[in-house]
Amino acid sequence: MSVLKQRQYPAFLVIVAVSVWVTITGNYSFFSNLLDVYPVSWMNIGFIGSLSVLLVAVTNILVSPFAVGRMFKPVLVLVLLISAASAYFMDAYNVIVSSEVLESALQTDASESLGLLNTRLFMYLLLAGVLPGLMVWVLPIKHQGVFRSLLSRGKLMAISSVAIVAMLLLFNSSYASFFREHKSVRFYTNPETPIYTAIKYAKQKLDVAEHVAYQKIGLDAKQQPVEGKRRLIVLVVGETARWDHFSLNGYGKATNPTLAQRDVVSFDHVSSCGTATAVSVPCMFSILDRDHYSERVAKASDNVLDIAQRAGVTVAWMDNNSDSKGVALRVPYTSYRNPEINRQCDDECRDIGMLDGVQKLVSSTPSGDILVVLHQMGSHGPEYAKRYPKSFEKFKPSCSSNLLEECSQEEIDNAYDNSILYTDFFLGQVIDYLRSVSTDFSPAMLYISDHGESLGEKGIFLHGFPYALAPESQKHVPMIFWSGREFAQVQHKLEEPDFSHREFSQDNLFHTLLGLLDVKTSVYQRAMDIFSS
Ligand SMILES: [Zn+2]
């Protein structure tokens, strides 16, 4: 009986309360980025206040059509949770919840996700999401019929729209400059951006899932008859390595003591296709260039590995990362994140363990050319200190927390640089192995990172920014080449003085691999092959 006497709250009021709550708790990053470009002043204070009203109004409009009937409470709770989780990632790493970030989050496996968990995330979820969500869940709501509740939502949306128009008119010149000059700040709005991103992402996935006929390309692929020794090419796909932290490229700390002793070419201007593994990796193996890349088209057609295999090359993918992102679906694939396969595991399985696989493959392949892809764990963040064995802790003190803001810039850089030092060692070992088999093979190694990383510049960490807004450090990647003297076809190129200073990108990989393997096919473009004369 007491339930009937209990006070019941009108639904629209609860929606407004949730909108106000997420605007306050979920938009710290939005307002701090806003205050960078509109510092607090008498001129700006009204505009900043109007943006708060605008955010509440937009959230009302977004939520209202769905928070009806039985869905009322689930929708509001979901909005609170999305807002709390997004706020954590935006506040902790200054990242935008872009489809790249969402893709990485969803494609990341459990052990990688654990790397992001910490007490601060837990507190965000609890205080900004779970507790207010529970309150909404137990709150007695005034029951209305479907018609009346739709009418009430319509009213709320109309009032919110009027508020939006009023704010735009009152501060029209500020809004004009805001949308013109500071477009990127709006990507920090919460929950607007995460919801928009989630819808966009779902639409992309539906597009990909929609059946598209698989297209084989390069059906005419044939290898030129091999003259001399068999070719053995190791392609190392790096992870999260940024160009400017390699001492080969002028970095102040000695992160490349091993490669400095090998006769390698390090390229100065190589750009990535995306800012996340899930974009860059399939893109670099696909025939599509960055401007035309689409996950749907790339997944439904052959990539350069398929073509090389068809031409008679023995192809294999060895992976110490999450997976091949769909690239190695039709070629032999082995994961090295398992101590039963990888003999070099301590806290985690090390990239160097994949070398055993290369040796086995080489000794069990009696004829023809070999192309092996080694997909590294590299410098995957935020726990850079986990990416190398203790003996590689050369730069100290280093950050060992996944809460990067708890570490100083120096500690973060040191941990990251130690992971680059380990990559340097790994690449050195690959080269030494290739040298050791050069009596039987013409060996070559090409290393290219998938994307870079932000290490706190402008408060930004990790990667996954939308490409157009991404800082240089996320797009400028290292690319390193080594070959034995036997690899005659590239020698003339290596002798050109400006060769390593030319501009290349991951778009070049498809054609460069075909060129290195001497695969003749109509889809090969000589101009895109970095070694073609
Ligand atoms: Zn990556």
Side-chain angles (χ1 to χ4, degrees):
M1 282 294 119
S2 65
V3 174
L4 287 177
K5 283 181 198 156
Q6 210 174 6
R7 178 159 181 209
Q8 293 184 318
Y9 294 85
F12 82 90
L13 208 61
V14 181
I15 296 178
V16 175
V18 167
S19 299
V20 171
W21 176 259
V22 298
T23 299
I24 294 171
T25 61
N27 284 279
Y28 171 80
S29 285
F30 172 72
F31 285 107
S32 71
N33 279 287
L34 183 74
L35 291 180
D36 281 349
V37 281
Y38 293 92
V40 180
S41 69
W42 288 115
M43 292 278 283
N44 290 339
I45 200 103
F47 173 61
I48 295 165
S50 86
L51 270 167
S52 319
V53 176
L54 199 86
L55 281 179
V56 172
V58 172
T59 310
N60 285 340
I61 293 174
L62 267 178
V63 172
S64 289
F66 305 102
V68 184
R70 283 171 173 225
M71 291 313 290
F72 182 77
K73 287 180 176 180
V75 164
L76 292 183
V77 171
L78 187 67
V79 166
L80 285 164
L81 293 176
I82 290 175
S83 160
S86 308
Y88 167 75
F89 286 105
M90 289 195 287
D91 298 354
Y93 303 115
N94 207 12
V95 297
I96 290 169
V97 184
S98 61
S99 47
E100 286 86 351
V101 166
L102 203 60
E103 175 96 31
S104 320
L106 295 173
Q107 288 209 2
T108 297
D109 57 35
S111 68
E112 283 172 17
S113 311
L114 284 176
L116 290 168
L117 298 184
N118 57 54
T119 36
R120 186 170 165 198
L121 171 60
F122 180 75
M123 294 311 278
Y124 261 78
L125 283 175
L126 186 73
L127 298 178
V130 174
L131 288 180
L134 276 173
M135 272 180 69
V136 168
W137 200 260
V138 298
L139 209 64
I141 308 290
K142 204 177 270 174
H143 181 74
Q144 286 177 317
V146 174
F147 178 73
R148 290 197 57 181
S149 64
L150 282 175
L151 197 69
S152 151
R153 297 305 174 276
K155 266 191 217 162
L156 179 57
M157 290 167 76
I159 293 169
S160 300
S161 307
V162 170
I164 292 171
V165 173
M167 292 303 128
L168 292 177
L169 290 177
L170 259 170
F171 298 95
N172 65 349
S173 61
S174 300
Y175 277 104
S177 88
F178 177 66
F179 288 123
R180 197 175 52 238
E181 290 154 38
H182 305 295
K183 248 195 239 164
S184 60
V185 178
R186 76 189 145 100
F187 286 109
Y188 288 97
T189 53
N190 188 8
E192 285 75 12
T193 299
I195 291 175
Y196 167 78
T197 302
I199 294 170
K200 195 173 124 192
Y201 181 76
K203 197 178 161 296
Q204 265 174 22
K205 289 293 137 183
L206 286 175
D207 280 354
V208 173
E210 193 182 305
H211 184 74
V212 197
Y214 188 88
Q215 208 195 347
K216 289 187 171 182
I217 57 170
L219 287 170
D220 56 346
K222 283 218 169 53
Q223 255 196 316
Q224 292 292 92
V226 183
E227 290 165 25
K229 292 181 196 166
R230 299 159 61 195
R231 278 169 288 231
L232 169 58
I233 297 174
V234 175
L235 172 69
V236 179
V237 177
E239 177 60 65
T240 315
R242 48 188 277 179
W243 176 85
D244 61 352
H245 278 239
F246 279 55
S247 50
L248 284 181
N249 303 328
Y251 188 49
K253 287 148 83 177
T255 49
N256 300 133
T258 317
L259 289 174
Q261 308 290 322
R262 307 292 182 275
D263 201 8
V264 299
V265 181
S266 182
F267 294 85
D268 282 342
H269 302 288
V270 181
S271 55
S272 67
C273 178
T275 60
T277 314
V279 178
S280 286
V281 171
C283 179
M284 69 171 98
F285 286 90
S286 133
I287 191 172
L288 303 168
D289 59 16
R290 198 178 75 74
D291 293 338
H292 299 93
Y293 176 73
S294 120
E295 187 188 355
R296 168 177 156 151
V297 177
K299 280 211 166 137
S301 61
D302 286 342
N303 59 53
V304 65
L305 301 186
D306 299 308
I307 297 172
Q309 183 169 257
R310 181 174 304 131
V313 177
T314 296
V315 178
W317 183 291
M318 303 179 185
D319 204 297
N320 198 37
N321 201 301
S322 43
D323 58 53
S324 77
K325 308 296 170 200
V327 176
L329 294 180
R330 295 162 296 274
V331 302
Y333 171 94
T334 316
S335 168
Y336 280 79
R337 290 183 72 187
N338 174 353
E340 283 171 24
I341 293 172
N342 189 333
R343 293 192 300 155
Q344 309 277 344
C345 302
D346 40 83
D347 298 337
E348 66 179 27
C349 289
R350 302 298 174 195
D351 293 334
I352 192 79
M354 294 189 284
L355 254 187
D356 286 345
V358 179
Q359 295 179 12
K360 260 186 220 153
L361 178 78
V362 167
S363 55
S364 64
T365 309
S367 62
D369 290 355
I370 300 174
L371 168 63
V372 193
V373 181
L374 304 180
H375 190 197
Q376 274 189 281
M377 184 51 122
S379 303
H380 191 289
E383 295 178 292
Y384 308 117
K386 285 203 172 160
R387 300 293 102 83
Y388 50 86
K390 284 282 162 288
S391 54
F392 284 81
E393 180 105 347
K394 172 174 164 189
F395 306 110
K396 288 186 260 199
S398 69
C399 175
S400 57
S401 167
N402 63 4
L403 267 178
L404 292 176
E405 78 270 27
E406 281 180 353
C407 294
S408 68
Q409 187 64 50
E410 189 199 0
E411 290 168 329
I412 295 169
D413 285 346
N414 282 344
Y416 181 82
D417 291 339
N418 288 331
S419 73
I420 299 292
L421 186 70
Y422 184 67
T423 287
D424 170 75
F425 161 76
F426 170 60
L427 297 178
Q429 293 290 298
V430 172
I431 292 171
D432 291 351
Y433 167 71
L434 290 176
R435 263 186 186 160
S436 75
V437 293
S438 60
T439 40
D440 299 321
F441 288 93
S442 292
M445 180 200 77
L446 181 62
Y447 162 79
I448 185 166
S449 182
D450 61 346
H451 51 77
E453 183 85 327
S454 286
L455 290 170
E457 296 93 347
K458 294 188 183 162
I460 300 172
F461 289 98
L462 309 180
H463 53 266
F465 252 61
Y467 202 86
L469 300 173
E472 196 58 21
S473 55
Q474 296 189 17
K475 302 185 285 194
H476 189 177
V477 291
M479 180 164 90
I480 293 165
F481 180 77
W482 173 89
S483 70
R485 295 201 183 288
E486 302 77 7
F487 229 107
Q489 73 197 79
V490 301
Q491 295 306 327
H492 65 283
K493 219 54 197 183
L494 302 179
E495 280 155 19
E496 289 176 18
D498 69 330
F499 180 50
S500 65
H501 308 308
R502 285 183 210 152
E503 289 207 12
F504 297 114
S505 74
Q506 291 177 342
D507 294 346
N508 293 105
L509 186 71
F510 180 95
H511 305 281
T512 301
L513 283 179
L514 292 179
L516 284 174
L517 290 162
D518 237 335
V519 171
K520 300 286 174 247
T521 160
S522 54
V523 294
Y524 167 75
Q525 290 172 37
R526 178 177 292 278
M528 293 291 286
D529 174 355
I530 65 173
F531 294 110
S532 74
S533 33

